[in-house]
Amino acid sequence: MNMDRFAATHDRLAATSGTEFSNIPKLVVANGLIVRLLGDFQSNWEHFVHMPTGPRPYYCEGPDSDCPLCRCVSELTMRGDDESQKLGGSIKAKEKFYFNCLDRSDAGKAWHASNKQTYVLTQNEKGFSIGSMLLQSIGSVVKMRQQQGQNDDPNCYDLLLQKTGSGMQTKYSSQFTGDVSDLTDEEAAYKMWPLDQIARITAITELQGVASFVLGDGPAPGSEVNPSEFQAGSPVEYPPPFESASPPAAAPAPASAPTAAPTLTPVAQHQDPAYQDTTPGRNVDMSSHMEVPCSNCSAQMLFSMEDTNDLKCHACGTVFTHPTKS
């Protein structure tokens, strides 16, 4: 075996996989999540390209930069045939934004106090970023605060994040919660993650190789695959590449957090008028409580596993059989 070639291939894959940094704690956007953003943000542009080994993410500085893949997209979309235009659309870059944040729920505050570090905010379990839809909504809150003559820095107030729909129909938004309380000295000192490294840009030589492969002018980087075998693929979210000289220790989940959410069954008719309060954010013992999204409206419901009264969604009113009865 050519060990020099093997080592070079391994180093290239490791540089873009991010798997060795899976210990970074991520806070996934959910309906009703309350957060405080911390520090500055970073951004980059993400291309998803279906390579012979599967969909792969590549990161650049955007369409206004000297990115070979962005030029490739322009060339494909200018061609007259539908296949080229579809391919160009499938690999077109989308801007991604990276934030450190605090989970402002009681369980989140307890986790931060125990681990002394922030979360990275993400819209997907596999990623480390949010998209332009949610950033624009946060920007609307900032603009509203500006117009009111209030402090517009989102480091200085809590945001309620909302997520509705699923798949390609998923929509994200945010609202001002009214909480402008200062962080404690301890909270302000929590260790934050190196966003400039998480949002790293793919090497220009690799972008050039991928663009050449997409256009049929050369093999896939690191392989001898025939470019004519290339097919457009559906976008899949992958974590961005980054390096961290000394990442903090892995962040364990709170000891009291359940490992799996139960399946809730809607009730067609219900005779008992006593339902559990499912409003999230209450100060409860999480060792006996659980959070599950409503299957009707996606609102996050908080309920007791010890209280066997059925559940009524605080947002849409749908009634569910308590999971212990299922």
Side-chain angles (χ1 to χ4, degrees), residues 102-258:
L102 299 179
D103 179 350
R104 301 294 274 169
S105 69
D106 290 338
K109 290 179 180 179
W111 185 90
H112 290 299
S114 174
N115 291 275
K116 312 298 182 187
Q117 58 187 351
T118 65
Y119 282 113
V120 171
L121 187 65
T122 177
Q123 288 179 188
N124 187 287
E125 286 283 0
K126 296 180 180 180
F128 290 93
S129 63
I130 66 172
S132 58
M133 181 185 295
L134 183 52
L135 187 86
Q136 287 174 8
S137 183
I138 293 172
S140 295
V141 175
V142 170
K143 186 174 182 179
M144 176 196 72
R145 299 276 296 168
Q146 290 174 340
Q147 293 172 342
Q148 294 174 345
Q150 305 293 327
N151 186 343
D152 60 351
D153 186 344
N155 284 185
C156 301
Y157 47 85
D158 290 352
L159 293 166
L160 171 66
L161 306 185
Q162 296 166 307
K163 175 183 177 181
T164 58
S166 61
M168 298 301 289
Q169 302 303 315
T170 305
K171 296 185 181 300
Y172 297 93
S173 61
S174 65
Q175 294 181 5
F176 173 54
T177 66
D179 187 344
V180 295
S181 58
D182 292 334
L183 299 180
T184 66
D185 291 341
E186 179 182 6
E187 289 172 330
Y190 288 152
K191 187 168 185 177
M192 294 193 291
W193 293 89
L195 301 180
D196 58 331
Q197 297 178 37
I198 298 176
R200 196 180 66 181
I201 303 302
T202 303
I204 188 69
T205 52
E206 187 166 8
L207 293 174
Q208 289 170 339
V210 175
S212 178
F213 170 69
V214 172
L215 293 172
D217 296 333
S223 76
E224 298 300 327
V225 175
N226 187 335
S228 65
E229 298 176 1
F230 180 80
Q231 297 292 329
S234 301
V236 179
E237 294 220 20
Y238 280 71
F242 69 98
E243 297 175 347
S244 180
S246 56
S256 60

